[in-house]
Amino acid sequence: MSAKRKRPGPAADPGVTEHEKTVHDVIRSKKDMGVSQWDLKREINIAENIITKCIKSLVSKSLVKEVKIIQNRGRKHYMSVEFEPSSEITGGAWYVEGSLDTEFINVLKEQCWRKIYAVKVATLEGIADAIKRSNVCQIELTKQQVEEIVKALVLDNEVMEVKSTGTGEFASIPVGKVCYKCIGKRGYGGEPKLGALASIPCGVCPQISRCTPDGIISPNTCAYYQKWLDF
Amino acid sequence: MIKLLNARFVERCPASEPVLTNPTKQELSARKRAAKYAKILEEQETLEQRVVEAAAPPEALRFLLLTQTEPAAEGKDETSSPIVAPGEKRKHDALESGTEYGATDEPVVLWRANFEEFIRRLRHKACIENVKTRLDDGAVTVLKAMLEATRSTEKKVKTENSVPLSLSSIYEEVIKSEDGRNITFDRVRASLIQLSCPPFVIAANESYSIDFKKIIEMAQNEEVESIVLKRYGKDAYRMFRLLSNSSHLLETDKIADAAFVEKKETPKILYKLWKDDYLQMEKLQVTGAKRLTQFLLWKVNKKLLREHVLDEMFHASLNLSQRVAFELEQEQELLNIPRDKRLSRLRKVRLLLESSQMKLDDAIMLFHDF
């Protein structure tokens, strides 16, 4: 039951019902964190179907927007349009629409690797400067964000973290400062050396704990071996 | 024979009938002070150890070829380097076995292959191979020279560090080798700096020593990480490396953030790794504002993981052997396929299986013997 209001309220929202205003007020009070429908129901003592209608109406009137959050259950929050979602719920620069922006991350990773490769040994500040100067991305990255990318390169085993000795290739870097070097002799994206166990079917088999010499799962009956030895 | 002895590939056999003396009162009380717990277990081990120790030829004799029947005390020129007498008990045994050898007119000395030396050399070879994948030839030559110079001073196979060497001794050793003939002093110094990052060589007080433990651990980590990458994927690889390099428990979301993995996917992958014994997990319950939140914390236990991976390797090795036997058996029965095709397939199959076995054997040594 929604009766159109004749005179607009202090927030100058034309055509908003009493219920819609209550819902909007609560949503607005949550500022840049927004609120889920479930939490709304707990705060406002109105029937659920009315809340749902109000939300739909507010969204269609562009007073409230939907924001996907990155936490486990992939829920969404509702937020008043004048706020920018906090990075706590959006995940910050690395997330878009509630999912990881893997393309963007991969581009940045490769660019950081190239900057390090070009100078053989690089400090975090050096990498951040180089990225900024090369304009690879439209938004400006903070030093912390560059650090996150470089640390991910370390996890990928593309780059290693070392401390400067002040001599040799570290000559221009103060002693003890953390810096980064590219690993080994392969280019970017090359796979690390394949281990002995990993190069045979048993090494990658999800059933190895159930495999026995004369069981249902055994080397003689193994489908992975069959495929591997199919010459 | 002398060459083999100098290289220590061959050694004297232990005495066939060792004589055990009762430990002195001093030794007994020292032992009591040292081990208050697990007394029975310690005694059993000690008995076996004592027998082995008593039977073993003293270090001075071990690689010595006697050309005369005189007691070994004088014949020092053929042993590689002087070894400090281990202790009272050993001296006592040396005297005993000395008289044993000197007793007859023509002592019959039995020789056997010195497996300890073979394993040590294979360990050194593995270290060199590992360093080769990361650094240049100069660094590898320097490392080889250091290994050559300190090999005979290693008391046991699983030595953690080599004996420290000065820069000049390393240089002298480097120019002796074929690869290192033309290397300059400065190049040696530069290579040593290279070898300190990652820290394969530790520099302290103007002397350098090889960190075997570090090199072997790095090789073992690479092997395990390779398994994780192939079995569970790139995301799991990053998360596993994060936990492996961190010494404490990490919470699920922190792992997701650092490894750039979707927060929804992270617990699933971690759970799979945990189920297969690659990770350890702990639950933490925190009473928040209105509800109880549960956090999951994860960790890599390196020692347990090494044993688990070694176990899988032994299992895989058995599987390979079994499959080779099976394929040979099968070959008899595949009569519908022309003979030359069968033989060609069998040849390829054997090559693949047997070369995989050899590669896996090397990996097993890395986890078990090095």
Side-chain angles (χ1 to χ4, degrees), chain B residues 233-247:
Chain B
K234 200 89 205 262
D235 287 344
Y237 176 73
R238 276 200 296 279
M239 294 197 285
F240 180 80
R241 273 175 58 79
L242 175 68
L243 288 165
S244 192
N245 295 334
S246 154
S247 50

Side-chain angles (χ1 to χ4, degrees), chain A residues 13-70:
Chain A
D13 301 331
V16 174
T17 67
E18 189 70 46
H19 285 313
E20 282 174 16
K21 187 174 182 316
T22 315
V23 169
H24 192 198
D25 281 344
V26 174
I27 291 177
R28 201 190 280 130
S29 75
K30 302 293 175 187
K31 298 200 184 145
D32 64 355
M33 288 295 288
V35 63
S36 67
Q37 190 165 331
W38 193 78
D39 284 326
L40 257 180
K41 167 91 184 40
R42 287 173 64 221
E43 282 204 35
I44 312 172
N45 210 358
I46 314 175
E48 189 158 356
N49 56 341
I50 299 181
I51 291 185
T52 314
K53 264 197 190 159
C54 292
I55 292 176
K56 262 200 187 130
S57 169
L58 288 167
V59 169
S60 65
K61 289 173 192 162
S62 299
L63 293 168
V64 150
K65 60 186 173 186
E66 240 179 52
V67 173
K68 282 215 184 92
I69 64 163
I70 59 165

Side-chain angles (χ1 to χ4, degrees), chain A residues 72 94 99-100 154-157 162 185 194-198 203-204 208 211 213 219-220 226 228-229, chain B residues 132 135 197 223 226-227 230-231 237-238 241-242 260-262 264 315 319-320 322-323 326 345 356 359:
Chain A
N72 258 336
W94 311 130
S99 290
L100 265 180
V154 171
L155 292 182
D156 276 329
N157 213 4
V162 293
K185 303 165 180 177
L194 194 58
L197 187 55
V204 297
I208 188 161
C211 166
N220 298 352
Q226 200 63 36
W228 188 46
L229 300 172
Chain B
K132 231 188 222 176
L135 299 175
C197 169
E223 187 67 42
S226 186
I227 300 169
K230 286 288 162 186
R231 209 186 273 180
Y237 176 73
R238 276 200 296 279
R241 273 175 58 79
L242 175 68
F260 285 102
V261 179
E262 291 278 7
K264 300 188 267 285
H315 188 169
N319 285 355
L320 283 169
Q322 200 176 321
R323 187 74 191 207
F326 174 72
R345 182 193 168 265
S356 302
K359 212 172 152 195

Side-chain angles (χ1 to χ4, degrees), chain B residues 58 67 116 183:
Chain B
T67 47
E116 195 187 298
I183 294 186

Side-chain angles (χ1 to χ4, degrees), chain B residues 14-193:
Chain B
S16 51
E17 287 166 17
V19 176
L20 271 187
T21 58
N22 286 321
T24 61
K25 262 195 179 154
Q26 260 180 331
E27 281 174 0
L28 262 179
S29 56
R31 239 183 254 157
K32 272 193 184 148
R33 276 199 302 273
K36 271 187 183 169
Y37 314 103
K39 231 178 172 173
I40 298 164
L41 187 65
E42 201 236 23
E43 263 178 44
Q44 279 177 337
E45 282 179 325
T46 314
L47 183 64
E48 193 181 315
Q49 274 180 338
R50 282 171 60 205
V51 170
V52 169
E53 261 187 50
E59 280 300 315
L61 270 187
R62 204 170 153 201
F63 304 104
L64 182 62
L65 181 65
L66 284 174
T67 47
Q68 38 200 11
T69 53
E70 235 84 286
E74 284 91 51
K76 286 200 199 93
D77 24 324
E78 279 171 75
T79 49
S80 319
S81 51
I83 293 168
V84 175
E88 277 182 23
K89 188 118 199 328
R90 272 282 184 92
K91 241 193 226 165
H92 189 90
D93 292 338
L95 285 171
E96 290 233 74
S97 52
T99 46
E100 206 183 310
Y101 288 132
T104 59
D105 287 317
E106 285 169 21
V108 177
V109 181
L110 299 173
W111 304 91
R112 67 173 186 185
N114 181 8
F115 292 103
E116 195 187 298
E117 185 64 24
F118 278 104
I119 297 179
R120 178 175 296 121
R121 300 250 177 166
L122 286 171
R123 187 181 194 233
H124 287 186
K125 195 165 170 246
C127 289
I128 293 168
E129 287 309 311
N130 250 281
V131 171
K132 231 188 222 176
T133 59
R134 292 173 180 267
L135 299 175
D136 64 29
D137 292 338
V140 172
T141 309
V142 169
L143 186 74
K144 271 192 195 164
M146 289 176 78
L147 286 168
E148 195 61 45
T150 55
R151 179 175 297 131
S152 52
T153 60
E154 282 180 37
K155 294 218 168 20
K156 49 177 183 164
V157 175
K158 292 191 184 184
T159 312
E160 287 189 8
N161 295 86
S162 68
V163 164
L165 289 172
S166 67
L167 182 52
S168 37
S169 354
I170 298 174
Y171 176 65
E172 271 165 33
E173 194 66 45
V174 167
I175 51 178
K176 265 194 231 166
S177 70
E178 211 177 298
D179 299 326
R181 221 175 289 147
N182 300 319
I183 294 186
T184 64
F185 191 82
D186 282 333
R187 182 88 198 277
V188 170
R189 199 207 320 257
S191 295
L192 283 167
I193 294 178

